[in-house]
Structures are given as C-alpha cells and as structure tokens.
Amino acid sequence: MELVEATADDLDALVDRWYSLAQSMEPYDELNELAFADVDDVSDDGFRDHLDDESVTDYLVVHEGETIGFVTLREGRHPSRRYSRYLRIVNLAIDEPHRNRGHGAAVVERVRELARGRGCDHLKVSCEWHNEDARRFYRDAGFRPKQVDYAQPLE
C-alpha cells in the first residue's frame, strides 16, 4: 500500500470518494445532510483549494496499482503546548470492496511516518460519536479519546 499525493488530475477520484464518505456520515446527525443530490452536482473546488493550501494534503490510497481510497491530512500547531505540532486525519476512506483487509491500518501507519518526517509530535482524528466502527478502528490503531466536539445548527 502506498499514499500518492493527489494532483489536479485526481480531483474526480477525490470528489467521488468524498461523496461516498459523506453519504455514509449522513445517518449519524442532521448536520451531515448533504446539499447535493448527486455526486455530479458536487464541485471539485474544495479539493482544488486543498492543492493550494500548504497545510492540507490529499493522498490517494493505492494498492497493487489500484486506487482503493483516499486520506486528507491537515497540519497544525498548538504553540503553547508541549505537544504542539500535529497532523490531523481529516478524511480517511477505503472503498467498500477493500475494507477489513488492513488497508486502513496501513494508511494510519504511513500517516504516522509522514507526521514524524514533518516534525509533528502527535496525530489527531475525529469521527462521528455514534459511528462505533470508526471509534473502534481508531482505538485499535492506538488513538485515545481526548475531547468532545459539540455542534449546533443556527437556523
């Protein structure tokens, strides 16, 4: 398994995979409701912006020459803390036919290597509170709960 940094040529693959991930998150909270009825309605502008943002990197997950997922990483800092430089896993999705084969764990291990290489001292990730599969996956990958995010729609 390898992570291949995405380019403008990969925008369609990123949008398709993001849309699938976003659809799977909809049942967990009303705030996850998609504004797009179809993947073809989704603009690639968000991922295009990532290409210009030095703190964000999108990678395609490639196994035996086939793209099987993607991961979005964002670098950040907490300058007043001992553990001050982090790499956040913003999105991690493995295509359905390739799940439960160790690819996600391999991605997390590769992200650890990238983080160390960038001088980061910790990783961050969040997932939907009621998404037991994701919570279990991250616990099994060595993550621990640290804080809880709250959200409130402003209607």
Side-chain angles (χ1 to χ4, degrees):
M1 187 285 310
E2 63 181 315
L3 298 183
V4 177
E5 190 168 343
T7 68
D9 293 337
D10 301 312
L11 292 174
D12 287 341
L14 290 169
V15 170
D16 286 347
R17 285 178 169 85
W18 171 85
Y19 189 77
S20 178
L21 175 64
Q23 280 184 309
S24 71
M25 295 298 103
E26 276 189 305
Y28 294 109
D29 193 284
E30 69 182 40
L31 290 172
N32 294 341
E33 184 179 345
L34 288 169
F36 310 103
D38 187 80
V39 67
D40 294 330
D41 299 333
V42 179
S43 168
D44 64 12
D45 289 349
F47 283 103
R48 192 175 301 282
D49 288 346
H50 288 182
L51 298 176
D52 296 329
D53 186 337
E54 290 184 19
S55 68
V56 178
T57 312
D58 290 295
Y59 294 93
L60 300 176
V61 178
V62 178
H63 177 69
E64 296 179 352
E66 178 185 359
T67 298
I68 62 165
F70 83 106
V71 63
T72 303
L73 305 175
R74 179 183 303 273
E75 243 179 280
R77 294 189 50 139
H78 295 294
S80 63
R81 296 185 181 162
R82 179 174 167 230
Y83 289 94
S84 61
R85 295 195 62 196
Y86 63 87
L87 193 58
R88 173 178 290 282
I89 300 171
V90 177
N91 296 308
L92 170 55
I94 301 298
D95 298 346
E96 186 70 39
H98 299 279
R99 291 184 188 161
N100 299 311
R101 297 182 183 179
H103 298 299
V107 169
V108 170
E109 184 54 40
R110 183 68 182 108
V111 168
R112 281 188 191 105
E113 294 168 9
L114 288 170
R116 287 183 186 112
R118 295 180 183 188
C120 295
D121 50 33
H122 67 291
L123 295 178
K124 289 185 170 193
V125 68
S126 62
C127 63
E128 292 294 325
W129 183 256
H130 296 291
N131 187 342
E132 288 296 329
D133 290 338
R135 291 174 65 188
R136 185 179 319 103
F137 170 78
Y138 288 116
R139 277 193 310 270
D140 290 350
F143 289 85
R144 65 176 194 236
K146 181 185 170 290
Q147 70 188 57
V148 176
D149 287 338
Y150 289 90
Q152 180 183 66
L154 301 173
E155 296 178 13

